[in-house]
Amino acid sequence: MNTRNKLKILNDPIYGFITIPNPLIFDLIEHKYFQRLRRITQMGMSYLVYPGAHHTRFHHALGCMHLMQKAIQVLCFKGVEISEDEKQALLIAILLHDIGHGPFSHAMEHSIVNSVHHEEISLLLMEQLNTEFNGSLTLAIEIFKGNYPRKFMYQLISGQIDMDRADYLKRDSFYTGVAEGNINSERIITMLSVVNDELVIEEKGIYSVEKFLVARRLMYWQVYLHKTSLVAEQLLIRVLKRAKELTLQGTQLKASAALSFFIQNEISIEDFNHEVLDRFAKLDDYDIISAMKEWMNEDDFILSNLCEMIINRDLLKIKIKNKKISDNKLQSETQNLMKKYSISEAEAAYFVFSGEISNQAYKTTSQNINILMKSGKVQDVVKASDQLNLKALSKTVTKYYICYPKDKL
């Protein structure tokens, strides 16, 4: 009989000790699907800008679970009734919310699989785990999908001030060294309450919420949408797209079995049966990095150059503007490249392209952040705040970028 101690304590650089509260959660963490998150960086290609940003999705998921434990404690202390089953389901749902992320986080969704979002894969993996764990994840899945009648539980997992954001802002700020993102998650959680089954923040927590929204905005411009990470991620998407193109034309590319499967087949959400899901769960950052190291030596001009750019961090030039990029600028850069290397327009498009990025720290259209005033009235944070800039933070700011080669490829 296995009498192994499953109530472990882990040491986290941000929160100190994190406790694993029960054997089921320990077993989920031990599962190969979850262990795979150790091999997926939380911030994709950002380590090319911030050398410390090598922390993983595994780190983040455990941090979220720790914050959820704190949130449950606070709410129960304030008289919100949460049953033992609901507590466990909340911890499982937040622990597994990112389990479907592919290598380098978001680059996969646009290249290896056809517009399959990580949330959809997370759900499929959770359902698979539910089968393996005899239905003990059923309630967690209901909450994760937003189907459970107690709305505040879904808001703790996926809202505008959820445990996911409360962890990643603080964690990403710590590992990048960007102090602007360092929010006071402890205080925000201490100020949580529930009114009519919806999550609210007590009035005295309003400044922490303002700081949270400002930090989110600054982290997006300074870190998540940093131009170097942006161009690196675009190159990675193009590497995988080109590899797929060449493979479908009959070129044999060296790659791990898991990566080869996704490069050789067109996979959309309908194709995700148990076998495909299992193959997906074998994919991580290492497959992509080792493939790119091989592909640098391929004869294909596009693939070898793209891989070399990422591996040696000699990326394309990127310019970010407030106005849309003119077609003339794109055309002239494309023509230069075509002439210089005698390549077609379609081939040049791998190295010359434009796009847009947008930043909105607070969405007034989705679940609002509601403040519980001392009078008992519940108000949206923009109305409740005396900070004029919160209105500005709810406006979407869009910027436009163009990428093209430096003098030489």
Side-chain angles (χ1 to χ4, degrees):
M1 189 183 140
N2 183 4
T3 54
R4 200 168 154 206
N5 173 23
K6 294 183 176 184
L7 302 176
K8 298 279 184 195
I9 292 176
L10 306 167
N11 201 345
D12 182 78
I14 292 163
Y15 309 118
F17 292 114
I18 290 180
T19 53
I20 295 176
N22 61 53
L24 173 60
I25 285 178
F26 178 85
D27 290 338
L28 286 169
I29 291 170
E30 287 272 272
H31 194 280
K32 63 181 180 182
Y33 287 172
F34 192 80
Q35 287 294 319
R36 161 184 167 272
L37 297 181
R38 289 181 185 273
R39 302 186 299 279
I40 292 186
T41 48
Q42 171 72 8
M43 292 178 64
M45 308 300 285
S46 295
Y47 66 87
L48 292 176
V49 183
Y50 298 101
H54 273 290
H55 56 302
T56 63
R57 293 262 159 204
F58 183 85
H59 251 140
H60 164 62
L62 291 173
C64 292
M65 182 193 74
H66 172 73
L67 293 182
M68 185 65 89
Q69 284 175 297
K70 296 261 179 227
I72 291 168
Q73 250 171 351
V74 165
L75 294 176
C76 289
F77 178 72
K78 291 181 184 176
V80 179
E81 282 190 24
I82 304 175
S83 70
E84 286 307 312
D85 285 351
E86 286 171 334
K87 286 177 189 173
Q88 175 154 293
L90 279 168
L91 293 174
I92 292 171
I94 197 71
L95 183 74
L96 304 180
H97 78 285
D98 268 351
I99 200 166
H101 264 291
F104 292 106
S105 298
H106 297 282
M108 279 284 298
E109 297 173 6
H110 307 289
S111 48
I112 286 192
V113 288
N114 297 339
S115 304
V116 184
H117 290 287
H118 69 269
E119 289 94 346
E120 298 174 281
I121 302 175
S122 291
L123 193 54
L124 292 171
L125 288 167
M126 283 165 87
E127 281 162 353
Q128 179 58 40
L129 287 168
N130 198 24
T131 308
E132 287 180 35
F133 285 86
N134 306 321
S136 49
L137 280 73
T138 306
L139 184 55
I141 291 169
E142 284 302 288
I143 294 172
F144 179 78
K145 282 166 40 178
N147 292 347
Y148 195 61
R150 306 193 72 185
K151 196 175 169 190
F152 78 89
M153 294 193 175
Y154 177 68
Q155 290 170 324
L156 283 169
I157 288 152
S158 182
Q160 290 212 63
I161 198 155
D162 54 28
M163 298 306 103
D164 175 31
R165 289 179 185 185
D167 180 79
Y168 78 63
L169 285 172
K170 202 172 173 65
R171 189 170 297 280
D172 296 351
S173 133
F174 176 87
Y175 281 96
T176 53
V178 175
E180 285 81 354
N182 188 9
I183 56 161
N184 191 344
S185 45
E186 295 280 320
R187 178 157 171 83
I188 290 172
I189 289 169
T190 309
M191 294 298 136
L192 287 176
S193 194
V194 172
V195 173
N196 299 330
D197 254 342
E198 296 220 10
L199 209 56
V200 293
I201 307 266
E202 291 172 6
E203 188 180 351
K204 54 182 183 280
I206 195 163
Y207 303 119
S208 304
V209 175
E210 287 171 359
K211 167 97 178 1
F212 168 86
L213 292 172
V214 172
R216 184 169 148 75
R217 177 187 167 78
L218 295 175
M219 284 293 282
Y220 266 86
W221 283 139
Q222 229 173 311
V223 179
Y224 308 127
L225 298 174
H226 188 287
K227 61 181 192 170
T228 308
S229 346
L230 190 67
V231 70
E233 185 162 301
Q234 287 299 323
L235 287 172
L236 182 58
I237 290 169
R238 282 162 174 75
V239 162
L240 297 169
K241 191 177 146 200
R242 183 60 175 174
K244 204 161 192 171
E245 217 166 77
L246 291 172
T247 305
L248 295 174
Q249 287 165 14
T251 309
Q252 292 277 308
L253 292 177
K254 279 188 186 166
S256 67
L259 183 55
S260 294
F261 173 79
F262 284 94
I263 284 174
Q264 287 160 9
N265 298 286
E266 292 289 339
I267 301 290
S268 54
I269 191 71
E270 296 74 36
D271 304 311
F272 265 87
N273 56 23
H274 175 60
E275 186 205 346
V276 172
L277 204 56
D278 226 43
R279 286 178 190 260
F280 182 85
K282 291 188 172 78
L283 263 186
D284 54 54
D285 292 5
Y286 297 110
D287 297 77
I288 308 287
I289 294 277
S290 56
M292 285 195 293
K293 283 163 69 181
E294 292 287 347
W295 299 344
M296 277 162 69
N297 307 314
E298 281 293 322
D299 293 336
D300 183 66
F301 175 83
I302 296 169
L303 188 63
S304 58
N305 273 297
L306 290 173
C307 290
E308 209 162 308
M309 284 176 178
I310 297 176
I311 295 291
N312 299 333
R313 199 194 178 278
D314 187 6
L315 307 167
L316 295 172
K317 203 176 177 69
I318 176 168
K319 288 197 169 152
I320 296 187
K321 310 272 187 197
N322 292 325
K323 284 203 199 78
K324 282 196 169 163
I325 308 297
S326 74
D327 288 343
N328 290 348
K329 174 74 175 153
L330 264 175
Q331 273 307 106
S332 82
E333 290 295 345
T334 306
Q335 294 299 329
N336 286 348
L337 199 63
M338 287 164 67
K339 207 151 72 195
K340 195 168 178 182
Y341 293 100
S342 313
I343 55 176
S344 69
E345 192 166 347
E347 290 171 322
Y350 275 95
F351 302 100
V352 181
F353 49 87
S354 62
E356 61 178 60
I357 47 175
S358 56
N359 187 352
Q360 185 184 15
Y362 180 53
K363 292 188 173 75
T364 45
T365 47
S366 61
Q367 308 166 354
N368 299 9
I369 297 175
N370 286 322
I371 304 295
L372 174 63
M373 310 304 281
K374 289 195 178 72
S375 62
K377 196 170 143 198
V378 173
Q379 255 188 336
D380 181 82
V381 67
V382 175
K383 280 207 179 77
S385 165
D386 55 8
Q387 271 272 68
L388 294 171
N389 70 354
L390 280 201
K391 212 174 212 99
L393 288 180
S394 52
K395 285 197 174 69
T396 304
V397 179
T398 304
K399 294 185 181 183
Y400 305 90
Y401 65 85
I402 178 169
C403 300
Y404 52 92
K406 295 167 186 166
D407 298 334
K408 58 174 182 41
L409 273 181

